[in-house]
Amino acid sequence: MRVRKLTFAVLAVAAGLSLTACNGDDLAAQSDGASASSASTSNTTSASTGSEQGGSEQEGATDSAGSGSGTDAETATCRTDELEVTASDTTITGDAEGSVAVTFKNGGGHDCTLSGYAGVDLKTSAGDLSAERSGQASDPVTLKDGESVSFGIVYPLNDSGGSGVSITGLVVTPPNETKSVTLAWPGAGTLPVTDGTGSSVTVGPMGSAGQGGAS
């Protein structure tokens, strides 16, 4: 009888140990599962937050790139090669002085601006004679393709009865340019002889001849 009780006791202890081991494994599995679930949730939240932040940064970059598209550039200066340059006699009978109008016509295919005074030199039998600026105020003139503007040249008429100084050509340099155009002189053929103390020829700003502006 004692042997049977001991056997039952041993079996009971073994069963208890087995049950404890199983419960321990279940608890460990549950603990590992909970940790994995928590880590997965944490990773998902982190990835979601990162995605939202990345989208915000990308939108910000797009906005930044989209803004500041730039303002329209200023109208370019008219270049000599883009201009058709002509000269005509505008002296009226009875005037005390002679006058010539020089016209710049824009043929460059785009808008351009002329501002200030052109350079003017008369080629004469006594050498080149540079015209002086008249001192008139000057505003920039913007020419569309095909439009034109004129300025005036005023010079003394040779009423001395002498042969004077022969004019053989006209050299014009557009404002803010260095390339010149040589034209035939359309005015009176001579200038009176002077003492050489200064230029007797003056040039006006853009718009100082014709209609006073673009036409």
Side-chain angles (χ1 to χ4, degrees):
M1 180 63 87
R2 182 176 178 81
V3 172
R4 183 176 295 177
K5 288 182 178 181
L6 289 175
T7 301
F8 286 152
V10 169
L11 290 174
V13 170
L17 290 174
S18 176
L19 180 60
T20 300
C22 289
N23 289 339
D25 291 342
D26 290 341
L27 290 175
Q30 292 176 0
S31 176
D32 291 343
S35 298
S37 176
S38 176
S40 175
T41 301
S42 175
N43 289 337
T44 301
T45 302
S46 176
S48 175
T49 302
S51 175
E52 292 175 359
Q53 290 177 346
S56 175
E57 290 175 356
Q58 290 175 358
E59 290 175 2
T62 301
D63 291 343
S64 175
S67 62
S69 58
T71 56
D72 294 337
E74 294 182 0
T75 305
T77 298
C78 297
R79 298 302 179 192
T80 303
D81 292 338
E82 300 173 334
L83 297 171
E84 178 184 340
V85 188
T86 56
S88 60
D89 184 14
T90 53
T91 305
I92 298 175
T93 302
D95 284 352
E97 295 178 303
S99 61
V100 166
V102 176
T103 300
F104 291 135
K105 182 177 180 179
N106 179 15
H110 57 84
D111 294 0
C112 66
T113 299
L114 289 168
S115 179
Y117 288 76
V120 171
D121 295 285
L122 298 187
K123 300 181 77 66
T124 77
S125 56
D128 291 349
L129 176 64
S130 296
E132 294 183 348
R133 296 179 178 183
S134 66
Q136 294 172 257
S138 173
D139 293 321
V141 176
T142 298
L143 301 178
K144 295 183 180 299
D145 186 39
E147 288 187 337
S148 59
V149 65
S150 302
F151 68 91
I153 302 171
V154 177
Y155 63 96
L157 296 172
N158 182 19
D159 297 328
S160 65
S163 60
V165 177
S166 299
I167 305 174
T168 59
L170 170 65
V171 180
V172 178
T173 308
N176 303 306
E177 263 285 41
T178 56
K179 186 175 182 180
S180 301
V181 175
T182 301
L183 306 171
W185 173 251
T190 62
L191 294 173
V193 176
T194 64
D195 58 9
T197 57
S199 173
S200 58
V201 181
T202 59
V203 56
M206 294 299 108
S208 62
Q211 298 299 315
S215 60

